[in-house]
Amino acid sequence: MKVLLIGANGQVGKRIVRLLKDSNDHTLRAMVRSEEQAEALKNSGMEAVISNLEGSVEEIAEAIKGSDAVIFTAGSGSKTGPDKTLLVDLDGAVKSMEAAEMAGAKRYVMVSAFQAHNRDSWKDSPIKPYMVVKHYADRILMTTDLNYTIVRPGGLINENGTGRVAAAENLDRGTISREDVARTVVASLTEENTYKRSFDLMSGDSTVEEALKNL
Ligand code: NAP
């Protein structure tokens, strides 16, 4: 598949870049925000495009054009305010869905957040506004014609991945390495059992492939 990765300069994004760079099954176009980031990727042999989720749907569609799939692993992060949470994590995400449809990329893999589908699980959370945004971005994705997969990882950590995960509609809260999130996202691209599905993701006992097949 030709894959357009939104958030390619992020912590999960960089790990997905590494996996796709070595992949025999996929080719990557990395979407980043700055000339400097694009140059760094190009210098290591990657295709890169500059686009911003705060730009227009048409601009994002231009970045996606020619791709079969979009992976969304962007996020405004905890250091910016609620305005950016709305503009990037919600409106930016939804614009990228519209752009994928406009550009004819049918497959869409979203990196969401643990239990984003379940309001009860974050009703007293200090990051409730972020969870609301992830919840509605996911809900809107499910109303599109895109062939989506929504991956809802637990707390992200930077330890080495184990390649062992748990994936299910509902899991107990825990953590997962960004490397294992990246592996799961890449494996989901072609695992048909994840098509039009959403699931919580945590470190666990199964290989990524087994976990996705047994969802
Ligand atoms: P990260 O390192 O903060 O990466 C986010 C990326 O999004 C960055 O590369 C950033 O670009 C990019 N971005 C921000 N605003 C953008 C815009 N307007 N247009 C285009 N790109 C933009 O995040 P991460 O740790 O990899 O997390 C990936 C995803 O997992 C996020 O969606 C996050 O919400 C979600 N998540 C996080 C946790 C957690 O425990 N932290 C748990 C569950 C899910 P720059 O590099 O230019 O800044």
Side-chain angles (χ1 to χ4, degrees):
M1 270 183 194
K2 291 181 183 164
V3 181
L4 186 278
L5 174 60
I6 304 180
N9 191 55
Q11 298 185 81
V12 171
K14 283 181 175 166
R15 289 162 171 87
I16 296 175
V17 168
R18 266 179 239 140
L19 292 174
L20 291 180
K21 192 180 176 192
D22 297 335
S23 166
N24 295 322
D25 303 324
H26 307 294
T27 57
L28 170 69
R29 185 187 299 154
M31 185 179 125
V32 290
R33 289 200 282 184
S34 76
E35 192 66 54
E36 202 185 355
Q37 293 165 356
E39 277 308 308
L41 284 155
K42 285 176 189 165
N43 289 340
S44 47
M46 313 299 299
E47 187 182 344
V49 61
I50 299 171
S51 193
N52 193 311
L53 290 167
E54 293 190 57
S56 69
V57 174
E58 288 74 16
E59 284 163 353
I60 302 167
E62 198 55 43
I64 298 173
K65 213 155 85 185
S67 303
D68 306 303
V70 171
I71 296 174
F72 185 99
T73 185
S76 59
S78 55
K79 294 194 178 79
T80 54
D83 53 341
K84 293 294 179 191
T85 310
L86 278 177
L87 292 170
V88 176
D89 304 65
L90 182 56
D91 195 37
V94 175
K95 282 191 283 185
S96 76
M97 297 164 202
E98 292 173 20
E101 289 188 311
M102 189 181 279
K106 306 237 176 312
R107 185 88 179 97
Y108 189 107
V109 182
M110 166 64 86
V111 178
S112 180
F114 181 71
Q115 287 280 300
H117 65 306
N118 179 9
R119 287 191 181 101
D120 286 344
S121 79
W122 32 269
K123 63 180 189 305
D124 300 319
S125 167
I127 57 163
K128 190 171 178 180
Y130 165 77
M131 295 306 303
V132 168
V133 155
K134 294 301 259 184
H135 176 84
Y136 282 99
D138 293 355
R139 275 179 65 165
I140 290 170
L141 178 55
M142 288 188 260
T143 68
T144 67
D145 290 330
L146 296 166
N147 180 12
Y148 64 82
T149 298
I150 298 170
V151 181
R152 299 189 300 257
L156 302 181
I157 55 175
N158 282 339
E159 282 165 24
N160 287 340
T162 59
R164 299 263 161 185
V165 301
E169 175 69 14
N170 293 291
L171 290 170
D172 290 335
R173 188 170 296 277
T175 59
I176 180 163
S177 70
R178 287 182 167 88
E179 196 177 322
D180 285 336
V181 174
R183 283 183 185 149
T184 305
V185 165
V186 170
S188 294
L189 280 170
T190 48
E191 173 47 68
E192 292 186 16
N193 197 39
T194 71
Y195 290 4
K196 303 248 176 187
R197 304 278 297 273
S198 59
F199 54 89
D200 286 350
L201 181 73
M202 216 59 70
S203 58
D205 299 325
S206 303
T207 66
V208 168
E209 291 71 23
E210 283 165 1
L212 297 182
K213 276 205 189 320
N214 296 323
L215 265 179

